[in-house]
Amino acid sequence: MTDLDERIVHTLRERAEGGVDTDRLLAAAVARGRTRVRRRRAAAGAMLSVVALLGAGVAAGAVGVHGVIPAIDPDVPSESGRPVAVVPPLADGVPGAAARPDMVGADPNLLHIGIARGGPRFLSWAVQAGVEVAQFDAGGRTVTLELAASAEALRLSPPEGLSSEMAELLGRSPYDGTVSSIAAPNGARRWLLHWRPTPGLYARADVVAPEDGELHTVANSLRLDQAYHCGGPLRLTAVPAGAEVTSCEVKVASFPAGFDVLLSITSGIRAGIAVRLNYAASIVASRTEGNLTIGGRAAYRSPIGALELLGFPRAHLTAVWMGDAEADAATVLGGAQVAEHLDQPETW
């Protein structure tokens, strides 16, 4: 276990007998550039901060419970060539945002952001706090696209790096296709596009670039006719009674070198579980013998307190928890469904 894992678990254990110090967790997350957690509810905020910390392992050196996986740099092509486009797997039979705009952001297990064939490449996607968000590579620029069923949800979910000038722009946006901009470093500008793709649906796109062309590239490629499984190759089928999945985030920027899935589950205000599936093509060996079984499968519990379900080639499926939720974490891992071929997104 790395120092990052130890800090996460130590913080969870330290706060297990009392109220969750969300400010402390949030400060750690913000230090890693994950300022979005500031707008979560207090109950979900602590777990999402843990998810943010787990996600930091992708850049700093992805971690399994028992060792370190070589770092995945989303800006460096894999050994087999440049990163390959990955799209979220379809959720058959679930209506898209055009038919049910009220469902956008309502279920963290479902994503409603689609992209036209041949359009910009997904870098990541997520559902949290009533907002769906995806990042795309559009001509070498990273464009962030957000969807919500209300303007209020987007207002409560401001872009990272919010300035007072930008806050003013966001506050007066009419969602009529207007493009706004403010100065950005190195002579660039930060462009924002607000529009309503369909009645009952609100969208915001954001990019730092000399001009606003990439915003329109992404907006014009948006598809709203289908729904998708947010967790990609990971499905959680055994969520404890009274608990719910409260956030989902998937990073695929470096695929086929690797990808990362982060899910959080909360129950009440003091209990929660963070689940992570990390795949890296560079993993050549994994632990095969555990010290317990979960759902009839070998698993490993670290001395400090984290669980890993074993047996996934080139991947680690782990969970950490708050309070006395270890049994619930084991239940969640026991019911986890993972795609057989993690290196083949079409099978997810």
Side-chain angles (χ1 to χ4, degrees):
M1 180 174 290
T2 67
D3 288 342
L4 176 60
D5 289 303
E6 292 177 3
R7 288 198 301 273
I8 295 170
V9 177
H10 175 73
T11 299
L12 294 177
R13 296 292 175 270
E14 186 179 61
R15 299 298 173 185
E17 300 304 323
V20 177
D21 186 348
T22 56
D23 288 339
R24 178 178 177 180
L25 288 173
L26 289 174
V30 169
R32 289 162 177 81
R34 309 302 298 280
T35 56
R36 290 183 182 277
V37 293
R38 289 189 181 278
R39 55 188 182 269
R40 308 311 192 265
R41 295 171 299 176
M47 283 312 302
L48 289 173
S49 299
V50 173
V51 169
L53 287 169
L54 287 171
V58 176
V63 257
V65 168
H66 53 267
V68 178
I69 304 166
I72 301 171
D73 187 338
D75 297 320
V76 176
S78 66
E79 293 181 1
S80 61
R82 297 189 61 81
V84 174
V86 176
V87 298
L90 282 174
D92 293 330
V94 180
R100 290 292 307 274
D102 59 306
M103 294 303 297
V104 172
D107 183 351
N109 293 297
L110 293 174
L111 182 79
H112 297 82
I113 299 175
I115 205 74
R117 184 181 297 274
R121 181 173 67 91
F122 273 100
L123 301 176
S124 66
W125 61 81
V127 182
Q128 48 201 13
V131 176
E132 300 187 8
V133 56
Q135 289 192 316
F136 297 94
D137 179 353
R141 306 278 183 185
T142 297
V143 177
T144 301
L145 171 67
E146 296 169 282
L147 290 182
S150 70
E152 178 68 5
L154 286 179
R155 186 185 69 79
L156 294 174
S157 179
E160 295 181 6
L162 183 69
S163 66
S164 58
E165 183 180 4
M166 185 182 295
E168 183 180 353
L169 289 175
L170 296 180
R172 65 171 186 259
S173 172
Y175 287 90
D176 62 353
T178 299
V179 176
S180 306
S181 72
I182 59 173
N186 301 318
R189 296 194 67 81
R190 186 166 187 174
W191 303 87
L192 293 104
L193 170 64
H194 292 78
W195 79 106
R196 299 183 65 179
T198 192
L201 192 62
Y202 296 79
R204 178 172 65 210
D206 178 10
V207 69
V208 175
E211 299 180 347
D212 65 351
E214 289 86 355
L215 290 181
H216 301 288
T217 297
V218 170
N220 292 335
S221 299
L222 178 63
R223 286 187 58 175
L224 301 173
D225 57 337
Q226 296 174 313
Y228 310 85
H229 291 288
C230 182
L234 175 63
R235 316 282 167 81
L236 301 181
T237 67
V239 177
E244 61 180 349
V245 176
T246 51
S247 75
C248 165
E249 182 175 4
V250 179
K251 296 182 178 181
V252 294
S254 62
F255 190 86
F259 64 82
D260 212 51
V261 181
L262 302 168
L263 301 174
S264 68
I265 299 170
T266 60
S267 175
I269 197 165
R270 290 173 53 186
I273 303 162
V275 179
R276 180 184 185 204
L277 174 65
N278 174 254
Y279 168 84
S282 56
I283 299 176
V284 294
S286 298
R287 180 186 295 273
T288 57
E289 296 184 2
N291 52 16
L292 75 161
T293 59
I294 295 176
R297 301 189 59 167
Y300 178 78
R301 188 192 192 281
S302 74
I304 294 179
L307 293 174
E308 176 171 9
L309 195 61
L310 307 180
F312 301 103
R314 302 183 184 276
H316 297 284
L317 178 62
T318 58
V320 295
W321 58 91
M322 284 194 286
D324 57 357
E326 179 175 354
D328 286 344
T331 296
V332 171
L333 285 184
Q337 294 182 352
V338 178
E340 182 178 0
H341 303 290
L342 294 177
D343 59 342
Q344 301 174 30
E346 65 274 12
T347 69
W348 295 359

